[in-house]
């Protein structure tokens, strides 16, 4: 596959710039409006590290602007990638570095209307009470950071379908990440948990695997919530709460052929706290196996009708991690757990 056509943005230059690496645009909004989408190999908007892009309006406004160029409408072969860089295009890959867009209490991409938008090595932050980033179908979000959303019913990241992998989510009061169809894999979620936050919400056809979710204060926070998961799998996630009253995994309504496997959950020890709560009519959980629970008021609640296949779940007598409250999730040899039960996350700060 050919590399996309590159345009470059650097908030530290005098601007406005022409979009080349030697003369980058100063503003990502100006760059989008004044660039044409390549219809053969797609376009990469390369945002330089060091100086935040502070938005004047949500980016959907720039993508729809027709005063200079036609509105950007991505296709399967002409996708849009927004990616951080330091010296040359794509040089942050293999690192934990990010370039930043400040949503300025507006949100960066809050509308949920744009398809085939890829985000790599970006930090999106400061959306106020609005969604921070809500994008639509066939999107990839890799090795990014999302934080500072104050809306209790708002998302740091909402993707209709695609892949969310290797990202760091923190400092939110509503939802961390939500997806309808695709995979949420290897991400790190961190919050105090004092407000009723929800780290991951998953709906049909998903793989939710090897995520690490940390709530360092008690509260009603929920690690993973399903809503009509349908042919979904929740496996190998690590979920920690420091005395929370919420749920590690909460199945809220129906689905078919869902599996909950090999998850490790600790610390939902407050009043009403549950490790894995499947107490919903027509829950859809057909396989419930090899999950390990420590220090939860109730380890798990089976669905009304019971899973078709249930085996190997255990209540641990000590923590499976060295020092989870202080961020050390090195595994300990307890119970019958195996290394494969531990999350693998990529980006941590």
């Amino acid at each position: 596959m050919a590399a996309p056509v590159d345009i470059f943005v650097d908030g530290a230059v005098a601007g406005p710039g022409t979009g080349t690496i030697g003369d980058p645009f100063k503003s990502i909004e100006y760059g989008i409006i004044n660039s044409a989408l390549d219809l053969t190999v797609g376009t990469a908007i390369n945002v330089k590290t060091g100086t935040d892009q502070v938005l004047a309006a949500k980016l959907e406004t720039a993508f729809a602007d027709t005063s200079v160029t036609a509105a950007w409408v991505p296709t399967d072969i002409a996708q849009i990638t927004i990616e951080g860089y330091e010296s040359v295009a794509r040089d942050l890959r293999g690192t934990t570095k990010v370039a930043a867009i400040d949503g300025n209490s507006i949100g960066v991409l809050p509308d949920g209307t744009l398809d085939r938008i890829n985000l790599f090595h970006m930090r999106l932050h400061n959306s106020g009470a609005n969604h921070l980033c809500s994008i639509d179908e066939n999107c990839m979000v890799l090795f990014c950071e999302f934080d500072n959303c104050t809306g209790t019913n708002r998302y740091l990241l909402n993707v209709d379908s695609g892949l969310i992998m290797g990202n760091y989510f923190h400092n939110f009061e509503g939802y961390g990440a939500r997806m309808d169809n695709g995979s949420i894999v290897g991400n790190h979620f961190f919050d105090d948990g004092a407000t009723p936050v929800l780290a991951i919400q998953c709906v049909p056809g998903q793989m939710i695997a090897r995520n690490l979710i940390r709530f360092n204060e008690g509260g009603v926070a929920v690690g993973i919530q399903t809503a009509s998961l349908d042919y979904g799998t929740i496996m190998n996630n690590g979920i920690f709460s420091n005395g929370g009253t919420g749920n590690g995994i909460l199945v809220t309504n129906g689905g078919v052929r869902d599996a909950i496997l090999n998850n490790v959950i600790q610390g939902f020890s407050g009043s009403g706290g549950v490790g894995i709560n499947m107490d919903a009519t027509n829950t859809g959980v057909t396989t419930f196996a090899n999950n390990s629970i420590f220090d939860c008021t109730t380890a798990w609640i089976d669905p009304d009708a019971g899973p078709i296949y249930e085996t190997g779940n255990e209540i641990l007598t000590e923590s499976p991690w060295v020092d989870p409250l202080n961020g050390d999730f090195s595994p300990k040899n307890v119970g019958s757990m195996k290394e494969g039960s531990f999350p693998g996350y990529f980006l941590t700060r």
Side-chain angles (χ1 to χ4, degrees):
M1 178 180 291
V5 171
D6 290 305
I7 64 173
F8 294 86
V9 178
D10 182 358
V13 301
T18 60
T20 66
I21 194 166
D23 185 26
F25 294 121
K26 180 177 179 62
S27 160
I28 187 172
E29 296 163 277
Y30 181 87
I32 291 169
I33 292 169
N34 288 276
S35 300
L37 174 66
D38 185 273
L39 299 179
T40 303
V41 294
T43 304
I45 305 170
N46 298 280
V47 181
K48 192 166 185 177
T49 58
T51 301
D52 282 17
Q53 290 287 314
V54 181
L55 299 185
K58 59 190 179 183
L59 285 186
E60 283 93 346
T61 301
F63 279 117
D65 194 300
T66 58
S67 61
V68 178
T69 63
W72 287 38
V73 182
T75 67
D76 284 338
I77 61 172
Q79 300 189 10
I80 294 171
T81 298
I82 303 175
E83 180 167 2
Y85 81 101
E86 194 165 46
S87 299
V88 296
R90 293 169 283 282
D91 63 352
L92 297 189
R93 296 188 183 185
T95 77
T96 58
K97 296 179 180 180
V98 292
I101 300 175
D102 183 335
N104 198 19
S105 297
I106 302 164
V108 177
L109 287 161
D111 288 353
T113 56
L114 293 175
D115 298 329
R116 299 169 181 87
I117 301 289
N118 304 313
L119 301 172
F120 302 154
H121 291 280
M122 293 296 303
R123 179 189 177 201
L124 276 56
H125 66 111
N126 188 22
S127 62
N130 303 292
H131 295 313
L132 178 60
C133 180
S134 183
I135 47 184
D136 203 17
E137 296 182 350
N138 301 310
C139 300
M140 288 193 295
V141 182
L142 307 180
F143 310 109
C144 294
E145 181 176 356
F146 299 86
D147 64 284
N148 197 8
C149 178
T150 61
T152 55
N153 293 309
R154 299 293 184 259
Y155 300 103
L156 286 178
L157 177 63
N158 179 36
V159 178
D160 188 69
S161 65
L163 173 65
I164 300 172
M165 185 176 76
N167 305 286
Y168 179 37
F169 301 83
H170 61 102
N171 189 22
F172 54 101
E173 294 184 358
Y175 300 85
R178 178 190 180 276
M179 179 179 278
D180 282 353
N181 295 278
S183 298
I184 302 177
V185 180
N187 303 282
H188 180 194
F189 297 81
F190 176 69
D191 195 79
D192 61 17
T195 54
V197 302
L198 172 58
I200 298 176
Q201 185 181 63
C202 47
V203 245
Q206 286 203 47
M207 169 70 75
I208 310 298
R210 301 187 74 81
N211 299 285
L212 176 61
I213 300 170
R214 304 166 56 199
F215 300 126
N216 269 26
E217 293 184 17
V220 296
V222 173
I224 301 172
Q225 178 199 19
T226 74
S228 298
L229 185 57
D230 281 350
Y231 300 96
T233 302
I234 300 172
M235 64 182 295
N236 296 76
N237 300 285
I239 306 173
F240 170 78
S241 174
N242 184 25
T245 59
N247 299 264
I249 297 173
L250 175 62
V251 180
T252 55
N253 56 19
V256 294
R257 299 189 180 181
D258 302 336
I260 300 177
L261 311 168
N262 297 346
N263 299 284
V264 184
I265 300 172
Q266 173 181 333
F268 290 87
S269 58
S271 177
V274 182
I276 301 176
N277 189 346
M278 300 172 286
D279 187 18
T281 303
N282 300 320
T283 178
V285 177
T286 56
T287 304
F288 176 56
N290 302 319
N291 299 282
S292 299
I293 313 295
F294 172 67
D295 191 28
C296 291
T297 302
T298 301
W300 61 81
I301 301 174
D302 285 336
D304 294 343
I308 292 174
Y309 181 71
E310 180 174 349
T311 186
N313 301 292
E314 61 178 344
I315 299 174
L316 302 176
T317 58
E318 60 178 291
S319 174
W321 298 301
V322 171
D323 188 6
L325 184 60
N326 292 302
D328 188 348
F329 284 81
S330 302
K332 292 164 57 179
N333 185 19
V334 299
S336 60
M337 294 169 50
K338 296 179 173 59
E339 185 177 355
S341 296
F342 291 92
Y345 58 93
F346 299 89
L347 179 59
T348 304
R349 300 202 190 289

